DNA sequence: GTCACTGCAAAAATTTTGCACATTA
DNA sequence: TAATGTGCAAAATTTTTGCAGTGAC
């Protein structure tokens, strides 16, 4: 459903107009449409040029005024990228993010970092500020400019989709790591019953991982260039590593011997931690496709946890 | 030596002029002096108004041009605080920092966070950018505006001095924590020789702490308002906590019994860690008074470490 | 004496405002 | 019909440029 967001944005705009006693006009419609169907960091001049292609009678003043309205209802967001121009970017369902800006070719890459948000919150609290918004801008010279390559025209992609892609990738990383853990545990477990239990979980994890990978593939096929677009969501893989139990703690005299019950308990630790981590993690984001993916993944891990717990509670089954 | 920095900045400016075939003029002199003796985030208009008070014949164009020159030689730095004006702040020996900006009274507080720098470096590396500069701007409503208090005219202080104050405070925090640790260890140590060793170290730490506190006091007396100026350097106290050894690890069966040698070894761990931590920490900052304080503190900790090591190597003394 | 500098005015660039007419609800 | 919206031009704001006279080296 690629048009759902567009429809919601249009609806938001026209509701905003109505609620503020403003009128729907041909010009506003056109400017809205052009803005919504163009990704990137547009200056008023940029947008005016695009609008003029479709209707040369529209004045730049109307573009100024309509952008102000779009900002007012949360569809657009003003940004300054250091070149003296006020630029506008999509705001609706567009995750809050920061920019890395190339001072030579003016290309701006977006990224988000939950760790950064945490630091910002801490600092604001320290100064007793009521935070409104914050932005980090990193200026530098991009790889292309450094190597005197002509900057390839960046595919204009919807950041929400890139965020969703990164969310899926993060879930896949978690699942891959979990799978490796269970495989290792199954291989090393000298208890035959426990080994069978763990093998079953390996199979379940393989299934889940395959599903996630299929979802990512399907997702990336939806839009050309999505697979190779720069990373948007920055996360520290160490954070996931912390969720994985330490097998050594389950060893006795250097050997692993976990019966059915202990194997299931160990698996429950990992699944519960993953479910909690992703639940908390998802809470940091505004309503977006990426958030939905995190929530869904957390629920799947929760379900897997519960399924394992049920096995542990049936004393005679494997 | 409060005039040393000013002298260096003037020298830097006139050297820059000479090297670029530019001429020294009455107007440039005046603009430089006014800029150097005014802290804060000045717009061209602000600076022009101040300059005009001293010489009403100076034109705003000259202020524009001179600010460009000052930026070129690293004395001033351009910043945008979201009000559409280009503002200038001190750059020479002015630690790199970020801003929290009140959207109501336009007050801007500066702060630095080494943790933030680390994240930024990580992200730049990920995108293969050559970093030039980066800035975080947090917009919000300040405490004063929230409570409808008239914002007290902020004392215009030199950020380098505030940074130095915070560096001293951080050293004092470390020293206070160390002292508490040694006191605790001395109290609980059941070995009389070891206790004497630790008591001596407690005395040394008390002396060092008193010195630091005296230095801070002296420092704060140098400039009115320095003591109450907002925190500039953000650091996580947990980072210091990690440097302190865990007394429990030295306990046997719940009791602490450390002979001379073991007591000295434990102290060496703390002193070496502190010396290393502050040495590394100081490396993150540009040449400033605050950096000097960190370097000096690291050296003092290193000297203390070595003094303790010498005691450990003389087998027969205490 | 040469060359850069200054200050004025004028221009340029971006954004806002006033106003007559057009369009919407 | 009443009110808002539009597009033009004009204004306001911030910054840059051209130029003639001034002053530094």
């Amino acid at each position: 459903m690629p048009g759902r967001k567009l429809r919601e944005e249009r609806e938001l705009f026209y509701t905003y107009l109505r609620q503020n006693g403003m009128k729907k006009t041909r010009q506003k419609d056109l400017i809205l449409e052009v803005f919504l169907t163009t990704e990137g960091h547009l200056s008023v001049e940029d947008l005016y040029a695009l609008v003029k292609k479709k209707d040369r009678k529209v004045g730049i003043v109307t573009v100024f005024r309509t952008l102000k309205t779009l900002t007012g209802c949360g569809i657009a967001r003003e940004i300054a990228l250091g070149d003296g121009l006020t630029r506008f970017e999509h705001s609706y369902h567009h995750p809050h993010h920061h920019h890395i800006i190339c001072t030579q070719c003016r290309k701006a890459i977006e990224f988000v970092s939950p760790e950064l948000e945490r630091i910002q919150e801490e600092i604001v609290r320290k100064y007793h500020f009521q935070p409104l918004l914050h932005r980090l801008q990193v200026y530098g010279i991009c790889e292309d400019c450094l190597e005197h390559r002509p900057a390839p025209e960046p595919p204009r992609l919807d950041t929400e989709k890139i965020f969703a892609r990164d969310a899926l990738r993060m879930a896949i990383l978690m699942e891959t790591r979990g799978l490796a853990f269970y495989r290792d545990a199954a291989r090393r477990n000298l208890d035959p019953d426990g080994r069978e239990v763990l093998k079953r979980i390996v199979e379940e994890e393989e299934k889940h991982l395959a599903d996630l990978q299929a979802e990512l593939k399907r997702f990336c096929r939806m839009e050309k260039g999505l697979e190779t677009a720069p990373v948007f969501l920055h996360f520290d893989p160490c954070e996931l590593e912390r969720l994985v139990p330490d097998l050594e703690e389950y060893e006795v005299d250097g050997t692993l011997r976990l019966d059915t019950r202990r194997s299931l308990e160990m698996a429950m630790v990992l699944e519960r931690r993953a479910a909690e981590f992703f639940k908390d993690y998802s809470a940091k984001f505004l309503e977006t496709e990426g958030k939905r993916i995190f929530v869904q993944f957390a629920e799947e891990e929760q379900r897997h946890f519960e399924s394992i717990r049920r096995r542990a509670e049936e004393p005679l089954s494997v």
Side-chain angles (χ1 to χ4, degrees), chain A:
Chain A
M1 51 208 93
R4 184 166 57 85
K5 188 166 133 186
L6 251 88
R7 203 168 56 243
E8 284 176 19
E9 285 173 305
R10 279 191 209 109
E11 211 169 290
L12 181 61
F13 183 63
Y14 293 120
T15 306
Y16 182 87
L17 290 187
R18 235 176 300 122
Q19 288 178 345
N20 292 72
M22 296 160 93
K23 282 166 183 169
K24 182 177 179 304
T25 64
R26 191 173 33 82
Q27 290 92 332
K28 280 184 198 144
D29 292 352
L30 177 60
I31 293 166
L32 173 71
E33 286 312 309
V34 173
F35 179 75
L36 290 182
T37 52
T38 314
E39 292 290 333
H41 307 106
L42 298 170
S43 67
V44 179
E45 203 70 45
D46 290 341
L47 185 57
Y48 177 54
L50 291 170
V51 167
K52 211 156 193 190
K53 274 197 225 163
K54 306 216 171 189
D55 181 353
R56 35 190 21 266
K57 292 198 298 299
V58 176
I60 195 168
V61 189
T62 309
V63 178
F64 268 101
R65 286 191 274 230
T66 306
L67 274 171
K68 210 136 256 176
T69 311
L70 286 171
T71 305
C73 68
I75 290 173
R77 192 189 283 147
E78 265 189 48
I79 52 167
L81 297 181
D83 59 353
L85 292 180
T86 307
R87 293 173 174 279
F88 293 82
E89 61 175 13
H90 290 202
S91 164
Y92 181 76
H93 277 204
H94 195 101
H96 173 241
H97 61 269
H98 302 286
H99 296 102
I100 306 186
I101 301 137
C102 177
T103 51
Q104 288 192 7
C105 66
R106 282 285 145 197
K107 176 170 56 198
I109 295 175
E110 298 178 349
F111 70 92
V112 67
S113 158
E115 217 183 327
L116 192 67
E117 308 295 304
R118 193 185 44 79
I119 293 179
Q120 175 268 342
E121 261 173 45
E122 218 170 81
I123 287 169
V124 163
R125 204 171 333 113
K126 213 156 170 176
Y127 286 113
H128 311 285
F129 259 63
Q130 180 184 305
L132 291 172
L133 64 100
H134 64 123
R135 43 173 162 245
L136 173 63
Q137 295 170 336
V138 182
Y139 294 87
I141 302 169
C142 72
E143 213 178 357
D144 295 326
C145 288
L146 277 175
E147 298 177 5
H148 304 285
R149 252 184 283 155
E153 181 59 28
R156 306 220 138 177
L157 290 169
D158 185 342
T159 304
E160 187 175 2
K161 288 202 181 105
I162 302 178
F163 178 39
R165 179 205 64 183
D166 290 346
L168 272 171
R169 284 186 184 168
M170 191 164 164
I172 286 171
L173 200 75
M174 177 76 249
E175 207 56 25
T176 307
R177 184 65 190 85
L179 178 57
F181 169 77
Y182 289 124
R183 275 200 183 127
D184 192 36
R187 192 175 49 77
R188 288 167 58 187
N189 193 358
L190 299 179
D191 184 289
D193 290 348
R195 195 161 52 227
E196 284 314 306
V197 163
L198 290 169
K199 275 189 182 164
R200 176 172 161 194
I201 295 178
V202 164
E203 280 165 28
E204 290 161 356
E205 294 285 283
E206 279 169 346
K207 173 74 176 57
H208 193 188
L209 178 58
D211 288 349
L212 288 169
Q213 281 169 334
E215 192 175 346
L216 177 62
K217 222 170 190 171
R218 189 158 23 82
F219 199 82
C220 285
R221 258 205 304 272
M222 272 174 36
E223 204 149 323
K224 210 177 131 251
L226 190 54
E227 202 159 355
T228 53
V231 174
F232 174 72
L233 171 67
H234 285 265
F235 66 92
D236 186 350
C238 300
E239 292 208 56
L240 296 186
E241 201 53 47
R242 284 211 317 268
L243 307 177
V244 181
D246 186 357
L247 256 193
E248 284 186 23
E249 286 180 13
Y250 290 84
E251 288 176 357
V252 176
D253 300 329
T255 63
L256 193 69
R257 196 181 296 276
L258 302 173
D259 60 15
T260 302
R261 170 156 218 100
R262 292 270 287 151
S263 295
L264 290 170
E265 278 172 4
M266 187 176 72
M268 279 158 66
V269 168
L270 175 50
E271 299 301 318
R272 194 189 39 229
R273 280 191 197 159
E276 271 178 19
F277 176 84
F278 279 91
K279 195 175 151 223
D280 291 349
Y281 202 78
S282 70
K284 295 178 187 171
F285 302 105
L286 295 176
E287 220 48 62
T288 52
E289 181 72 9
K291 180 185 184 137
R292 209 217 72 225
I293 287 168
F294 282 130
V295 169
Q296 189 181 312
F297 184 67
E299 286 168 2
E300 282 158 5
E301 296 296 271
Q302 179 67 26
R303 270 198 296 279
H304 199 189
F305 164 75
E306 278 159 15
S307 141
I308 294 169
R309 190 177 57 190
R310 274 194 302 278
R311 270 169 255 178
E313 283 166 358
E314 298 166 17
L316 291 178
S317 94
V318 173

